């Protein structure tokens, strides 16, 4: 009889620990989603402010070729529900002279193969 009571007590405690850990996991998951939603709201708000500032600036001055928002980007934004990021392209790198590296390579090959 005492063994059965001890067993039932252990089972009850184990079930309680499992329920508590499940509740903690659910709470952590929910809080993570809440934090993500807050971050996305702040991100959208910041983007709206910068876009409205850029729109005000572009309406008062002539359009800049290198500005973050271009007419095509704005029309794309209107076509899609949400644009997450805009990336500016970098300038092309001018090729360096290959003759200097070829001379070095020839010298290196001569030393290695000799």
């Amino acid at each position: 009889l005492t063994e059965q009571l001890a067993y039932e007590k252990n089972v009850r405690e184990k079930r309680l620990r499992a329920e508590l850990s499940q509740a903690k996991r659910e709470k952590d998951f929910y809080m993570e989603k809440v934090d993500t939603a807050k971050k996305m709201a702040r991100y959208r708000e910041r983007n709206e402010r910068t876009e409205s500032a850029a729109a005000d600036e572009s309406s008062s001055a002539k359009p800049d070729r290198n500005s973050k928002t271009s007419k095509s980007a704005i029309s794309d934004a209107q076509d899609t529900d949400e644009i997450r990021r805009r990336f500016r392209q970098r300038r092309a790198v001018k090729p360096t002279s290959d003759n200097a590296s070829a001379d070095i390579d020839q010298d290196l090959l001569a030393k290695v193969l000799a």
Side-chain angles (χ1 to χ4, degrees):
L1 183 64
T2 57
E3 290 177 6
Q4 184 179 1
L5 290 176
Y7 174 75
E8 289 175 359
K9 181 181 176 186
N10 287 338
V11 168
R12 228 178 300 124
E13 288 176 358
K14 187 175 181 180
R15 190 179 319 128
L16 182 61
R17 280 194 304 267
E19 288 176 12
L20 287 175
S21 66
Q22 177 67 24
K24 183 183 182 301
R25 279 195 303 271
E26 290 174 1
K27 177 193 66 115
D28 291 344
F29 178 77
Y30 177 77
M31 293 306 293
E32 184 179 328
K33 293 297 179 183
V34 167
D35 290 340
T36 304
K38 285 180 183 179
K39 288 177 187 176
M40 289 302 294
R42 281 185 269 160
Y43 175 77
R44 285 189 192 110
E45 181 181 327
R46 187 171 52 244
N47 277 350
E48 289 172 1
R49 277 189 271 144
T50 56
E51 287 176 358
S52 65
D56 292 343
E57 185 178 300
S58 66
S59 65
S60 63
K62 67 179 186 177
D64 185 16
R65 293 176 104 190
N66 297 329
S67 68
K68 284 185 178 179
T69 58
S70 65
K71 290 181 181 179
S72 63
I74 293 172
S75 65
D76 290 343
Q78 292 169 349
D79 293 340
T80 61
D81 292 335
E82 179 178 321
I83 292 180
R84 293 190 180 231
R85 295 183 181 175
R86 291 190 186 114
F87 296 98
R88 283 193 265 176
Q89 290 185 346
R90 296 180 179 173
R91 300 259 182 227
V93 177
K94 294 181 182 179
T96 59
S97 82
D98 292 329
N99 295 339
S101 62
D103 292 339
I104 294 171
D105 292 337
Q106 291 297 326
D107 292 339
L108 181 64
L109 284 174
K111 290 178 182 177
V112 170
L113 296 176

